[in-house]
Amino acid sequence: QKEVEQNSGPLSVPEGAIASLNCTYSDRGSQSFFWYRQYSGKSPELIMFIYSNGDKEDGRFTAQLNKASQYVSLLIRDSQPSDSATYLCAVTMMTDKLIFGTGTRLQVFP
Amino acid sequence: EAQVTQNPRYLITVTGKKLTVTCSQNMNHEYMSWYRQDPGLGLRQIYYSMNVEVTDKGDVPEGYKVSRKEKRNFPLILESPSPNQTSLYFCASSGGQWGNSPLHFGNGTRLTVT
């Protein structure tokens, strides 16, 4: 089992819809959870981070963390074509090591 | 402007010719790290540094060297590059506790070794 798993996609959603991106992790002691967005050929940029169970909202983005089920999600409301990118989930293990998933490619079509 | 600067952006070289990729950050961050990104494998950590003169191996350190003589600089050295080191490389830094703070990434270096 991979330490951090994401569906590679592509996830295709129409403009204006909600995009839901999921990530599961193997270490129950994981502490910190990050979502990065990466456009093709560019560097990853931080979208959100979450440390506690529950939801965290920032504009059109909501991160959801469920430690009991070991998953973290990113919801993008009112998706725009400019949101089309690869979304990387990163999880800090109990050892303080940060592990990245391989990313989910999101396509938002007009 | 707070940033991580990598150079060069693109590099084509031949097997065995030593090269250095530079990385500099102006945020006074203690933690710096190098990653390589390959299709289907995601971001994998090569080396990291918790502070000046403190470096340690990541998941894929073979064939790479690093040094941290100054807080702002963290160069990546390939003493004898091989074709399997062809990849997209990112330097990153973080101002908080290792692993628990967001990373700031450089713009990347696309390396091709022929």
Side-chain angles (χ1 to χ4, degrees), chain B residues 33 61 66 96-97 105:
Chain B
S33 181
V66 293
Q97 183 184 358
F105 285 88

Side-chain angles (χ1 to χ4, degrees), chain B residues 58-112:
Chain B
D59 297 316
V60 288
E62 294 78 20
Y64 305 94
K65 283 176 56 177
V66 293
S67 68
R68 189 92 182 271
K69 292 182 169 43
E70 306 165 282
K71 198 171 189 178
R72 62 184 294 123
N73 295 324
F74 190 45
L76 179 70
I77 302 158
L78 284 71
E79 295 269 5
S80 182
S82 62
N84 65 11
Q85 292 177 299
T86 292
S87 187
L88 179 58
Y89 291 85
F90 290 105
C91 178
S93 72
S94 171
Q97 183 184 358
W98 172 43
N100 287 299
S101 296
L103 289 170
H104 300 257
F105 285 88
N107 285 334
T109 296
R110 188 168 291 281
L111 172 65
T112 302

Side-chain angles (χ1 to χ4, degrees), chain A residues 48-105:
Chain A
M48 293 194 69
F49 59 89
I50 185 167
Y51 299 138
S52 305
N53 265 336
D55 295 359
K56 180 181 178 182
E57 188 174 317
D58 184 1
R60 295 187 296 114
F61 300 95
T62 298
Q64 299 177 317
L65 175 60
N66 184 324
K67 288 189 176 182
S69 300
Q70 293 174 242
Y71 80 79
V72 56
S73 304
L74 179 70
L75 300 179
I76 306 175
R77 288 181 300 280
D78 189 24
S79 295
Q80 302 297 309
S82 58
D83 295 324
S84 298
T86 296
Y87 289 80
L88 306 175
C89 171
V91 178
T92 304
M93 303 291 152
M94 196 159 58
T95 56
D96 282 342
K97 185 174 181 179
L98 182 69
I99 303 293
F100 282 85
T102 53
T104 297
R105 189 156 65 94

Side-chain angles (χ1 to χ4, degrees), chain B:
Chain B
E1 180 190 353
Q3 59 186 5
V4 179
T5 303
Q6 282 179 242
N7 280 298
R9 290 293 309 278
Y10 300 92
L11 181 57
I12 300 174
T13 190
V14 296
T15 298
K17 187 176 182 181
K18 180 180 179 179
L19 66 91
T20 299
V21 184
T22 63
C23 175
S24 180
Q25 51 92 6
N26 63 1
M27 295 169 280
N28 201 36
H29 285 170
E30 291 186 345
Y31 179 80
M32 297 186 74
S33 181
W34 276 101
Y35 291 88
R36 61 178 289 173
Q37 187 173 38
D38 303 287
L41 297 176
L43 280 163
R44 294 181 293 167
Q45 190 177 51
I46 303 171
Y47 269 95
Y48 64 93
S49 170
M50 305 277 274
N51 212 327
V52 176
E53 301 292 2
V54 180
T55 63
D56 209 345
K57 296 177 181 179
D59 297 316
V60 288
E62 294 78 20
Y64 305 94
K65 283 176 56 177
V66 293
S67 68
R68 189 92 182 271
K69 292 182 169 43
E70 306 165 282
K71 198 171 189 178
R72 62 184 294 123
N73 295 324
F74 190 45
L76 179 70
I77 302 158
L78 284 71
E79 295 269 5
S80 182
S82 62
N84 65 11
Q85 292 177 299
T86 292
S87 187
L88 179 58
Y89 291 85
F90 290 105
C91 178
S93 72
S94 171
Q97 183 184 358
W98 172 43
N100 287 299
S101 296
L103 289 170
H104 300 257
F105 285 88
N107 285 334
T109 296
R110 188 168 291 281
L111 172 65
T112 302
V113 183
T114 61

